[in-house]
Every structure is written in structure tokens, then in C-alpha cells.
Amino acid sequence: MATRPSTLPSPDSFAAEHSARLQALIAREIEAAGGWIPFDRYMELALYAPGLGYYAAGARKFGDSAAGGDFVTAPEISPLFASALAAQVAQVFEHLPARIVEFGAGSGVLARDLLAGLAARGIEVEGYSIVELSPELAARQRAVLDRRVVEWLAGPPGEFEGVMIANEVLDVMPVKAFAKRGGIVAERGVGLERDRLVLAERAAGRELSDAVAAIEAEVGPLPDGYGSEVGLAAAAWMRSAAAWLARGALLAIDYGFPRREYYHPQRLMGTLMCHYRHHAHADPLWLPGLNDITAHVDFTAMADAAHEGGLEVLGYTTQAHFLLNCGLLEQLGTDHSPQRANEAQRLLSEAEMGELFKVLAVGRGIDRHLLGFARGDRTERL
Ligand SMILES: C[S@@+](CC[C@H](N)C(=O)[O-])C[C@H]1O[C@@H](n2cnc3c(N)ncnc32)[C@H](O)[C@@H]1O
């Protein structure tokens, strides 16, 4: 894991004190656990500890840095994202109930714009449910969404028919972190050194060792010193999603790669990335609670988990291909404003979100080729 640049902006005293409280909570848990916790537990606390974690507490998160935001997501960049997605959702609704479950709805902007995009196509949804881990974000969503149309579920639905959406949700699920040391798998975690949080390694347990062995069986032996992450929680979530989805499609949109690219020998520092005021850095221990911590998604693992749950892969492609297939350029229509053109560029450009972000569609009971994957489908690379 690399360190952070020295140019990061400093938090104000209120934010620094908030992080200090979370660090104290994490330190207490480390002491209670005998001096060390695995990285996935650290990430869970840093992001979701009640009242203190990055997603559980009041950090602004989305939006530009002047407004106190740390990052922007595609639906925050432009309504073009949701209106293109509406074309895909509308196609699935041709033979399924017009119901949507959105996981991790952030500020609620995707739900708002997707409902508008569907309404513009003459589709009135039967139900739009949000499953949100963060009480703070759920409150923000309630403030912007029409409560007569949208409902919030305490947990995932059972026997759901319709479309499930998860945009940038898999990348914030806690990951196991490992390093290869002299042919052995070491698990990365967090310990304490004079009351300071420090990264520390232990011999990996069976589950992580087996997961790394399975990766090496596919991509070849990883070199000594190689470090990376394994998204066991994301894979478990995908297996569960398969159980929730009785009929329909799940669209998972996120940054990541197929397994062979993810665990490429040259990607020896892994994919952990933190965001603070639009600065990306790789020090997950810096000011927990004020930083987003993410890992890229191994889409091969997601497809495997979906298969295990009985779903089939309906398509896998880049965000650019998906949005173009869904008619994003046509939706630009007569709006030739520089702002819209700039937004489209950010969503589509290879140098921005177009190539790194992927769309994976899995599902059951869908008997037609999905519109979003008509050109540029890369399912065979998974
Ligand atoms: C990076 S934000 C993305 C928000 C939004 N989808 C967007 O694109 O702007 C991640 C969101 O996922 C939520 N989240 C994380 N794990 C989740 C889970 N297992 N179930 C539901 N929501 C989850 C977080 O609380 C947060 O709202």
C-alpha cells in the first residue's frame, strides 16, 4: 500500500476531532482483539461504524471540493447517465413488472433522474425501493425524493421481480488485503504502535489463502511482495442478490476489471484508493471517517458469484459502450450547450470514466439481448 502525498488539504478542527473519536474506537477494538484486526474489519469500521464511519456520519461526500465533497459519481456528474440507464431499464420492463430496487442510492440523484427518464418514456413505475446502509444518506434521499413513489427497505427484498441497480456500491464493500511473502499468503490488517494505527501483517487464515490460491490457479503465481485485495464481501453480496432476484436483471456499475487484469503482475500495489476533497491517495489509515476507502471490483469474481446463485451473465461492457448503446448521444439531442457536452465527455471518455468503469448485468428469466450490450460486449473476457 502506497502512502499519501504531502499536498492533501488539512481538515478543520471539528472534522479532525471526529476522526480522532473514530480512531479511538478502532484502537479499542484492536486492543480487545489482541493487537490486530484484519483490513476488512478496519474498512468496515472506517466507513460504517455507527455515527462515526465515513458513510454513517455527516461528511458531505458527493459533489465538488468547494462544497466540501470528496468525489463525484456518474449520476452526480450528469442526468444523461440516468436518462441513458432509463432506456435499458425500460427494455427490461417490456416483459417484467416496472419495479426497481436501488442499493446504496447516495444523494438520491440517480433515483430522481431515473424516475424522470422513465416518465419521459411514458413509464410509471409500480415501485422504487432503496436499500441504504447509511442512515445519514437515507435521510438525504428522503429530502429529495417523492415519498409517494419511493420507499426505503430495512433490508433487501425477497422474491423480487424487476430491475436491481447498484452504482458504485461494490467498491465500498470491505475487502481482505493480502501480500505474498516467501511463497506464503500474509493477511494485511491494522495494529497499534504507540497508540497510532499502523498496517501490520499476520499469516492468512484458510479462507483468504484459498481465495488467493484460486486466483493464482487462474492468473499464474503472483510474485513475492505482491499485494492486492480480495472482495469476499462483494462476492457474498452478489450470491445473496441472486437469492433476492426471482426474475429480472441486476445492473452493477463500478470501476474494475476482469480477474486477469485485476491481478496482473504489474498491479503489485493492489487497487485500494481513498478520496478526500477530490484528492486520490492510497493511505487508508489517514483520517478515518473523513476519507472514502475503495477497492476496484474483480468482475470475474462477481460473475462467478452470480452463477453460483443461479443467475446468468446478461452482459459486461465498459460504461462508454453501455451508455452509447443506450442512446446517450441521441439524448444529448438538441442540447448543444458546452456544459452537457462536457458532462458527456466525462462519462464517455477513456481518460475519465468511460473505460475504467464497467457495467455487469446478471439476471434470470430475461430472454432477450440487453440493449446496453448490443455493441462492445466483453462477457468473454470475464
Ligand atoms: C460511493 S456511494 C455511491 C452512491 C450512489 N449510488 C451514486 O452513484 O452516487 C456508495 C453507496 O453505497 C452504500 N452502501 C454500501 N454498502 C451497501 C450495501 N451493502 N447495501 C446498500 N448500500 C450500501 C453507501 O452507504 C453509499 O450510499
Side-chain angles (χ1 to χ4, degrees):
M1 294 183 198
T3 51
R4 76 195 121 85
S6 56
T7 51
L8 287 171
S10 299
D12 62 28
S13 57
F14 179 78
E17 204 264 326
H18 175 98
S19 177
R21 277 192 287 142
L22 179 55
Q23 287 176 55
L25 178 133
I26 294 169
R28 282 197 297 279
E29 178 155 331
I30 292 171
E31 275 163 2
W36 183 88
I37 55 172
F39 187 79
D40 53 343
R41 178 61 183 157
Y42 169 78
M43 186 167 166
E44 190 180 352
L45 290 169
L47 297 184
Y48 305 107
L52 289 173
Y54 179 74
Y55 282 104
R60 179 88 197 89
K61 301 181 257 291
F62 311 97
D64 62 34
S65 54
D70 301 303
F71 57 87
V72 280
T73 59
E76 300 276 337
I77 288 174
S78 175
L80 288 168
F81 179 79
S83 57
L85 188 58
Q88 177 59 89
V89 173
Q91 186 206 17
V92 177
F93 285 170
E94 283 168 13
H95 69 134
L96 273 176
R99 294 200 198 107
I100 296 174
V101 173
E102 184 183 352
F103 294 90
S107 68
V109 72
L110 177 59
R112 185 196 66 195
D113 293 347
L114 185 54
L115 284 164
L118 290 167
R121 292 169 181 273
I123 297 171
E124 204 179 306
V125 298
E126 290 173 27
Y128 197 113
S129 309
I130 291 179
V131 180
E132 175 59 70
L133 267 195
S134 158
E136 192 270 327
L137 287 175
R140 269 203 242 173
Q141 294 154 15
R142 283 194 178 88
V144 296
L145 296 171
D146 183 346
R147 297 193 206 184
R148 288 165 303 180
V149 182
V150 181
E151 60 165 0
W152 283 261
L153 302 180
E159 295 294 300
F160 177 77
E161 296 196 352
V163 177
M164 291 177 158
I165 297 169
N167 188 60
E168 287 205 47
V169 177
L170 296 171
D171 67 283
V172 291
M173 294 192 181
V175 287
K176 290 237 168 252
F178 72 90
K180 285 295 294 291
R181 301 278 177 224
I184 308 275
V185 180
E187 175 159 13
R188 287 176 162 161
V190 182
L192 288 172
E193 221 174 70
R194 276 178 255 108
D195 291 340
R196 264 188 49 247
L197 302 177
V198 290
L199 292 172
E201 294 177 359
R202 296 273 160 97
R206 171 52 66 88
E207 190 185 27
L208 180 57
S209 297
D210 286 355
V212 175
I215 290 164
E216 291 189 299
E218 225 170 292
V219 308
L222 298 170
D224 198 45
Y226 188 94
S228 192
E229 297 79 41
V230 184
L232 295 182
W237 183 88
M238 187 56 94
R239 281 191 295 274
S240 305
W244 307 325
L245 187 62
R247 199 160 63 102
L250 162 62
L251 297 164
I253 306 155
D254 231 306
Y255 37 98
F257 325 97
R259 175 161 286 171
R260 283 185 175 280
E261 274 176 69
Y262 196 104
Y263 298 104
H264 192 279
Q266 279 169 5
R267 204 183 303 286
L268 75 176
M269 305 288 275
T271 70
L272 275 183
M273 207 161 49
C274 309
H275 293 97
Y276 180 70
R277 300 282 190 274
H278 288 261
H279 293 262
H281 67 93
D283 182 358
L285 303 187
W286 187 65
L287 294 177
L290 306 186
N291 283 264
D292 192 15
I293 305 175
T294 73
H296 286 37
V297 175
D298 170 359
F299 278 104
T300 305
M302 295 303 104
D304 287 350
H307 276 138
E308 283 165 33
L311 301 183
E312 55 178 322
V313 173
L314 305 171
Y316 169 71
T317 191
T318 63
Q319 176 169 298
H321 274 113
F322 180 82
L323 295 177
L324 290 170
N325 288 335
C326 289
L328 182 135
L329 291 182
E330 293 72 14
Q331 282 152 26
L332 263 177
T334 51
D335 187 346
H336 299 300
S337 66
Q339 182 191 333
R340 280 283 183 269
N342 179 268
E343 291 168 5
Q345 151 84 7
R346 289 177 72 187
L347 295 175
L348 298 174
S349 153
E350 271 192 27
E352 303 225 18
M353 300 183 82
E355 173 71 26
L356 179 59
F357 279 72
K358 311 293 191 311
V359 184
L360 172 70
V362 295
R364 77 172 100 236
I366 304 273
D367 61 3
R368 58 196 70 185
H369 200 74
L370 294 186
L371 172 76
F373 306 91
R375 283 177 300 272
D377 190 353
R378 295 184 180 178
T379 301
E380 81 291 343
R381 295 196 199 175
L382 288 173

